[in-house]
Amino acid sequence: MRPGSFLPSFDRRRRLLPGTTLLVPLLAATLGLAVYLGWQAIDAVRSHRTAAESALRDYGRMAAWQYAGIVKDELDGVFHDLMSDVPRVRRTGRPNGYRGTDEWIIAEMREEMRDLRCACPTLRDPALVFKAQIESRQTTAFGETSVSAGALTRLADALAERYDELYRHRYAVVSLAPGTVLDGATAVAYAATEEQDGSITLFGFATPVAAWGELFDSWFDRAPLLPPAITGDLPNDSLLHVIVSGPYGEIVFESTASFSPALSAFDTLVHEFGPFVVGAAVRPDAAARLIIGGLPQSKLPLILGLLLLTVLVGFAALFQLARERQLARLRDDFVSGVSHELRTPLAQIRMFAELQESGKLRSEEDRARAISVIHRESRRLTHLVDNILRFSRLRRAIATRLLRGEIQVDSAVHDLIEGFQPLANARGMAIESRVDPGLAIVANADALNQMLLNMLDNAVKYGPRGQVIALDVERRRDTAVFTIQDQGPGIPATERRRIWDPYYRLGRDRESPAPGTGIGLAVVAQLAELNGGGVSVDDAPGGGARFTLRLPAVPASPPLSSSRSTDRQEVGA
């Protein structure tokens, strides 16, 4: 068995903790499930919304059909009042007192217009009252009119072109394109009579198409357009948006509701009133009254937010997984470093102990050298174990109750160097120290010893053989500044902050034969903080690294003289 082979070894291919390899697919499955549930929620909302919008369109279609029926019935009454006597008078002749039948028909028509049951000024005083003979394409205007002779000719031609449509209905409304008679679209209301020779004569009047909106407005609230069992006593205008348009896109009538008719349904009047199309839409905020559950609001922002939260949780889990891998790697490196550091002194102790036990060390000099090596390596093992235990206690916050007292720095440094001398001698290194006389600090004695030992050990471990390590302590106001300078390769500026982190080792040292656990400087940083101080590192003036430890100093007494005295101690191989 190799020396130190009893220590646990870790295969780098098995750094992850058990079960972590399943975390990625589990996260992917969770994210996929969240996406699927989100899609199902969106689909459910969309289905509900589609059903609700379909129901609203059905209500709109019902309202449009109902209003179209009301308009048809009311227009039938208006035309009966205005023009029902035209065919009879043309057959029986004019009544007494009138110069001619045509004049009587026109006079009667105007009288009925004045008696309309609505405030319809445009219809009461139409732009043109006329008689048109289809076969001869002649149009006669009655009364004062601003319609030109050319417009009358165009009217006659337009009516003649629609002969079949005109002959089919006893009375009706037709729409003519803008500019045919009036500037805009023209609605021509007429009554048709057949003459003895088979020709058709029309009596009627022409108005702008929009003028008929005066009638439609008066009929809008005459009867409910949706079942009262659903709407209650609410008026049509509070539930519906109704619009009546002509064949050329002109708006004839529009209710006063201010919402957007996004879910409109349409119906047309019967053929004799063909120019008009009725559209109706239920206002969206009335959906709760008309539809069970109402029109659902879009849940897309909430669902997207939940999906985003799921993604963030997934990334956080992946980050934790990466951190776990990093910690596993640091743990393996730490165990490997500890094993390496324990193996060398244990091998030395075991070898010299076996030589002593077997009697192969015959001379007194050899036995003394063996005892010296065993003693030195034991101290080294003790320092390593103390470092690990100290670090473990600090990590568990047990050491936050350090007992601090006044320490004389010169004696503490002298004892430290004396105990550390064998380790430095083994590498052929020298330690020079200089301490301001009379300097005292407030700290924990064991912690101070541990911090200085760790920094000296770091200098010995990574410095070249034969180097001189300088340990200086001086007062700067109320602070004692400890500096340890070596002649090694130094610390790269990019890594000077991280060397104080637990388990961290420089990239150049991870694959080097130099042993290390990555906790020595971390213990220094934590103990310095617990003692009210701090640590830092920079380049030494002559090359290498310069570590600085700052601790609170005991206030100095008034100086007896202006001269400063210093002691310097050198320990060499």
Side-chain angles (χ1 to χ4, degrees):
M1 177 184 296
R2 292 182 305 166
S5 60
F6 61 90
L7 296 174
S9 61
F10 290 85
D11 188 348
R12 290 184 178 272
R13 294 172 298 178
R14 301 176 58 189
R15 285 177 175 172
L16 294 180
L17 296 177
T20 55
T21 54
L22 297 177
L23 184 57
V24 173
L26 286 176
L27 287 174
T30 301
L31 181 60
L33 179 61
V35 172
Y36 175 75
L37 293 176
W39 179 83
Q40 289 291 334
I42 293 175
D43 185 65
V45 172
R46 184 172 58 246
S47 298
H48 186 186
R49 191 174 187 86
T50 300
E53 289 177 351
S54 177
L56 289 181
R57 285 193 180 92
D58 289 340
Y59 280 116
R61 191 172 295 109
M62 180 189 302
W65 174 82
Q66 184 74 11
Y67 186 61
I70 292 174
V71 169
K72 188 266 179 188
D73 292 341
E74 294 293 342
L75 282 178
D76 276 340
V78 169
F79 276 88
H80 182 272
D81 293 339
L82 294 179
M83 299 176 178
S84 61
D85 288 336
V86 172
R88 178 179 58 79
V89 172
R90 291 292 292 175
R91 288 194 304 270
T92 60
R94 68 183 185 279
N96 294 330
Y98 284 88
R99 291 176 296 172
T101 302
D102 295 345
E103 288 80 358
W104 187 91
I105 290 174
I106 297 302
E108 186 69 15
M109 188 183 301
R110 288 186 181 278
E111 183 66 26
E112 293 295 338
M113 287 180 182
R114 287 190 289 270
D115 292 338
L116 283 174
R117 293 177 296 170
C118 79
C120 306
T122 308
L123 291 178
R124 290 173 184 272
D125 188 14
L128 172 65
V129 179
F130 65 88
K131 169 189 173 184
Q133 294 174 309
I134 301 302
E135 281 76 3
S136 62
R137 298 200 176 195
Q138 293 181 356
T139 301
T140 303
F142 293 88
E144 295 181 2
T145 178
S146 60
V147 177
S148 64
L152 292 176
T153 301
R154 290 193 296 273
L155 174 60
D157 292 341
L159 293 176
E161 291 172 1
R162 304 172 75 165
Y163 177 86
D164 293 337
E165 178 184 347
L166 301 174
Y167 184 73
R168 190 180 305 119
H169 304 295
R170 184 177 60 174
Y171 46 78
V173 179
V174 296
S175 182
L176 303 180
T180 303
V181 179
L182 306 176
D183 291 337
T186 305
V188 177
Y190 69 89
T193 64
E194 186 176 2
E195 304 298 333
Q196 293 180 354
D197 59 0
S199 63
I200 296 177
T201 300
L202 303 181
F203 289 86
F205 59 91
T207 64
V209 171
W212 290 81
E214 299 169 355
L215 280 175
F216 299 150
D217 187 23
S218 67
W219 300 331
F220 179 59
D221 282 322
R222 183 161 295 180
L225 302 182
L226 292 176
I230 298 176
T231 63
D233 297 332
L234 295 177
N236 293 330
D237 198 43
S238 65
L239 292 174
L240 297 167
H241 179 273
V242 174
I243 186 171
V244 181
S245 59
Y248 299 103
E250 64 278 8
I251 302 299
V252 180
F253 165 73
E254 185 173 9
S255 62
T256 58
S258 60
F259 61 92
S260 175
L263 302 175
S264 296
F266 298 92
D267 199 352
T268 57
L269 299 183
V270 292
H271 191 70
E272 59 264 34
F273 307 129
F276 302 117
V277 177
V278 178
V282 179
R283 35 185 325 140
D285 54 2
R289 176 184 288 269
L290 302 177
I291 300 173
I292 297 176
L295 191 63
Q297 298 294 324
S298 175
K299 298 291 191 277
L300 186 59
L302 175 61
I303 293 171
L304 290 179
L306 292 176
L307 288 179
L308 178 60
L309 180 61
T310 303
V311 171
L312 293 178
V313 170
F315 277 116
L318 291 176
F319 174 79
Q320 289 298 328
L321 175 61
R323 179 125 180 117
E324 180 184 354
R325 288 180 175 177
Q326 181 184 19
L327 292 175
R329 180 180 61 80
L330 292 175
R331 179 199 62 190
D332 291 348
D333 291 343
F334 170 74
V335 173
S336 176
V338 169
S339 301
H340 190 276
E341 290 219 48
L342 290 175
R343 185 179 294 119
T344 301
L346 283 174
Q348 295 280 338
I349 293 172
R350 181 176 178 179
M351 181 183 68
F352 283 102
E354 289 177 350
L355 291 174
Q356 178 74 13
E357 184 180 19
S358 62
K360 294 181 179 180
L361 300 176
R362 294 187 174 90
S363 68
E364 197 65 34
E365 182 181 355
D366 290 340
R367 286 193 292 271
R369 180 172 175 271
I371 293 173
S372 176
V373 171
I374 292 173
H375 178 67
R376 183 189 69 209
E377 296 302 322
S378 298
R379 290 176 66 88
R380 183 175 173 184
L381 281 176
T382 301
H383 170 64
L384 177 62
V385 172
D386 287 345
N387 229 13
I388 295 174
L389 292 176
R390 176 77 69 176
F391 177 74
S392 176
R393 294 192 184 101
L394 290 174
R395 295 294 287 174
R396 297 177 184 177
I398 296 178
T400 55
R401 298 182 297 274
L402 289 178
L403 297 177
R404 293 189 289 175
E406 185 174 321
I407 302 174
Q408 296 298 320
V409 176
D410 51 357
S411 60
V413 169
H414 179 273
D415 294 342
L416 170 73
I417 294 177
E418 185 177 3
F420 193 77
Q421 178 179 349
L423 295 178
N425 291 342
R427 297 289 302 275
M429 299 179 183
I431 302 176
E432 294 182 354
S433 66
R434 185 181 64 187
V435 182
D436 281 356
L439 177 60
I441 63 173
V442 178
N444 179 271
D446 291 338
L448 175 64
N449 189 69
Q450 189 78 44
M451 288 185 286
L452 295 178
L453 277 176
N454 285 4
M455 289 191 290
L456 287 174
D457 183 66
N458 190 78
V460 169
K461 188 181 300 180
Y462 297 106
R465 293 186 64 87
Q467 71 169 335
V468 177
I469 302 172
L471 193 163
D472 294 337
V473 189
E474 62 178 348
R475 174 189 291 275
R476 295 180 187 173
R477 296 185 178 179
D478 294 332
T479 302
V481 180
F482 296 74
T483 58
I484 297 179
Q485 301 182 34
D486 61 42
Q487 297 173 351
I491 307 294
T494 56
E495 298 185 272
R496 289 175 184 172
R497 294 177 62 90
R498 298 198 61 189
I499 62 172
W500 311 105
D501 295 338
Y503 309 114
Y504 184 79
R505 298 189 69 196
L506 297 179
R508 67 176 184 230
D509 297 333
R510 290 171 187 164
E511 304 300 331
S512 69
T517 60
I519 64 172
L521 294 180
V523 169
V524 173
Q526 294 180 13
L527 287 176
E529 181 179 355
L530 291 173
N531 282 275
V535 290
S536 63
V537 63
D538 58 0
D539 292 329
R546 179 172 60 188
F547 289 84
T548 302
L549 168 65
R550 294 174 297 276
L551 294 173
V554 176
S557 302
L560 299 177
S561 65
S562 59
S563 61
R564 176 189 175 192
S565 61
T566 59
D567 296 332
R568 193 166 189 86
Q569 175 185 5
E570 181 177 343
V571 178

